[in-house]
C-alpha cells in the first residue's frame, strides 16, 4: 500500500458548545490530530463529524478508508446503526480502527468487543496520569520511552468491561490511586483494532507530542497490508476423495 487513507471521525459537539474546550481545540479534536498526521509522510488524512450528512461517513468515504479513528462521548446514541454496521463490515475486510478515550462506550466499540464496554470508574479532579509501557517491542510503543506523563487528565479506573485484549500495551496509573488498561489491541476479521484511553475533551492531551506519536504509530500498525480476496463457502476438493473425482 503506497499511501494510507486515514479518516478521523469526531462527534464534534463539546468543542462547539463549551468555551473552555473551544479554546483548547478551536477547530475540534479531529483537526488537532489531523494537523499532526498531515506532517507524517505516506498518510492521506481527512475528517468526518457527526452532524455532517451520514455523519460524514458515506459509502465512498468508508470504502476508501484504510484506518479510521473514532472519538465520541455525549452523543453515542445519535450515531446511526446502519453506518455503524458499515464501519464494522469494513473492519472485517481489513480496515484498521483506532478508538479514542470515551469512544470506549461507542456503538462501534461495543460491536467490536461484544460487551457494553462502558462500565468503568471515572473522575474529573485533574489527576496526573502516567501511562506505563507494557510492551517495548511493539510498533505502537516506539519512540515513547518508559512512560507518558500527562499533568491533568480524567480518571478511568478498572474494572473495564471488555474481553481480554489480544495485546496489552499500556497500563495507566492515576494520582488518586486507580489503574486502567489504557492501550490495547484486538484482531477482528481482517482488521486491527487499537483502543487508546487518554483524550478527555477539557485537557490538551491531543497536543502532547508523545500521545500524537502513539496515534501515528497506531495508524501505521493498523493499516492493512491489502484487502485479501480468498475463497469461502463450498469448495470442491483439490484431489480425489475416496478415489472419486468430484466435479
Ligand atoms: Zn472524558
Amino acid at each position: 500500500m503506497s499511501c494510507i487513507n486515514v479518516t478521523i471521525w469526531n462527534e464534534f459537539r463539546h468543542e462547539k458548545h463549551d468555551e473552555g474546550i473551544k479554546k483548547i481545540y478551536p477547530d475540534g479534536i479531529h483537526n488537532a490530530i489531523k494537523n499532526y498526521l498531515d506532517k507524517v509522510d505516506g498518510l492521506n488524512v481527512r475528517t468526518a463529524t457527526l452532524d455532517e450528512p451520514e455523519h460524514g461517513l458515506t459509502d465512498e468515504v468508508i470504502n476508501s478508508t484504510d484506518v479510521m479513528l473514532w472519538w465520541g462521548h455525549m452523543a453515542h446514541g445519535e450515531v446511526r446503526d446502519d453506518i455503524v454496521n458499515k464501519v464494522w463490515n469494513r473492519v472485517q475486510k481489513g480496515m484498521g480502527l483506532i478508538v479514542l478515550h470515551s469512544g470506549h462506550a461507542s456503538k462501534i466499540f461495543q460491536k467490536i468487543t461484544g460487551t457494553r464496554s462502558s462500565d468503568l470508574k471515572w473522575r474529573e479532579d485533574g489527576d496526573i496520569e502516567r501511562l506505563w509501557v507494557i510492551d517495548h517491542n511493539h510498533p505502537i510503543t516506539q519512540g515513547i520511552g518508559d512512560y507518558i506523563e500527562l499533568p491533568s487528565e480524567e480518571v478511568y479506573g478498572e474494572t473495564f468491561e471488555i474481553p481480554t485484549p489480544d495485546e496489552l500495551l499500556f497500563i495507566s496509573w492515576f494520582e488518586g490511586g486507580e489503574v486502567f488498561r489504557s492501550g490495547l489491541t484486538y484482531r477482528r476479521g481482517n482488521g486491527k483494532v487499537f483502543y487508546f484511553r487518554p483524550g478527555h475533551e477539557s485537557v490538551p492531551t491531543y497536543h502532547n507530542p508523545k500521545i500524537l506519536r502513539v496515534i501515528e504509530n497506531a495508524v501505521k500498525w493498523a493499516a492493512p497490508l491489502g484487502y485479501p480476496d480468498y475463497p469461502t463457502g463450498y469448495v470442491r476438493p483439490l484431489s480425489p476423495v475416496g478415489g472419486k473425482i468430484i466435479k
Side-chain angles (χ1 to χ4, degrees):
M1 190 172 297
S2 54
C3 191
I4 302 169
N5 291 310
V6 181
T7 302
I8 305 169
W9 190 88
N10 181 19
E11 183 181 278
F12 195 29
R13 289 278 177 85
H14 291 286
E15 304 97 313
K16 288 183 198 162
H17 302 307
D18 184 300
E19 285 305 319
I21 296 168
K22 204 184 280 186
K23 266 190 198 137
I24 300 170
Y25 297 115
D27 301 314
I29 283 171
H30 51 302
N31 278 311
I33 297 171
K34 182 178 189 294
N35 289 342
Y36 174 84
L37 293 181
D38 275 343
K39 298 184 192 98
V40 177
D41 284 345
L43 305 186
N44 174 32
V45 186
R46 63 190 157 186
T47 64
T49 56
L50 178 66
D51 293 327
E52 294 173 49
E54 297 187 59
H55 312 325
L57 298 176
T58 61
D59 288 357
E60 190 280 328
V61 169
I62 292 172
N63 293 330
S64 61
T65 297
D66 300 314
V67 180
M68 188 175 290
L69 282 68
W70 195 280
W71 196 103
H73 178 228
M74 62 194 284
H76 293 314
E78 293 181 41
V79 179
R80 276 170 40 188
D81 291 340
D82 61 318
I83 293 175
V84 172
N85 286 339
K86 288 178 191 175
V87 172
W88 184 86
N89 270 309
R90 180 78 178 156
V91 171
Q92 309 311 306
K93 288 179 182 161
M95 183 183 80
L97 179 68
I98 299 171
V99 176
L100 298 169
H101 187 58
S102 40
H104 72 84
S106 63
K107 289 181 181 178
I108 184 61
F109 196 56
Q110 290 175 336
K111 197 168 168 67
I112 290 285
T113 60
T115 67
R116 291 175 293 181
S117 67
S118 52
D119 276 6
L120 45 78
K121 301 186 182 99
W122 65 272
R123 178 177 67 245
E124 273 187 77
D125 278 344
D127 290 54
I128 296 168
E129 176 177 9
R130 249 176 237 130
L131 295 102
W132 291 96
V133 174
I134 301 303
D135 184 346
H136 290 272
N137 202 23
H138 192 283
I140 293 180
T141 60
Q142 298 311 294
I144 304 305
D146 204 18
Y147 64 90
I148 302 171
E149 183 165 314
L150 300 170
S152 176
E153 251 291 358
E154 181 183 18
V155 169
Y156 282 2
E158 297 280 348
T159 300
F160 186 15
E161 186 188 62
I162 48 168
T164 301
D166 294 346
E167 298 169 302
L168 183 57
L169 306 183
F170 293 96
I171 289 177
S172 281
W173 166 92
F174 295 91
E175 196 176 356
E178 288 79 8
V179 294
F180 194 77
R181 289 169 289 174
S182 53
L184 45 92
T185 74
Y186 296 105
R187 287 294 296 261
R188 289 294 183 265
N190 288 297
K192 296 180 205 160
V193 179
F194 178 55
Y195 172 75
F196 193 41
R197 192 218 81 87
H200 188 62
E201 64 275 2
S202 65
V203 288
T205 293
Y206 296 119
H207 296 305
N208 180 293
K210 284 193 177 183
I211 295 294
L212 292 166
R213 176 67 190 272
V214 170
I215 291 173
E216 172 190 342
N217 291 346
V219 165
K220 292 173 177 170
W221 168 83
L225 301 177
Y227 295 92
D229 185 19
Y230 43 85
T232 59
Y234 174 75
V235 289
R236 290 191 177 84
L238 293 176
S239 51
V241 178
K244 282 192 291 188
I245 296 173
I246 297 170
K247 293 182 183 167

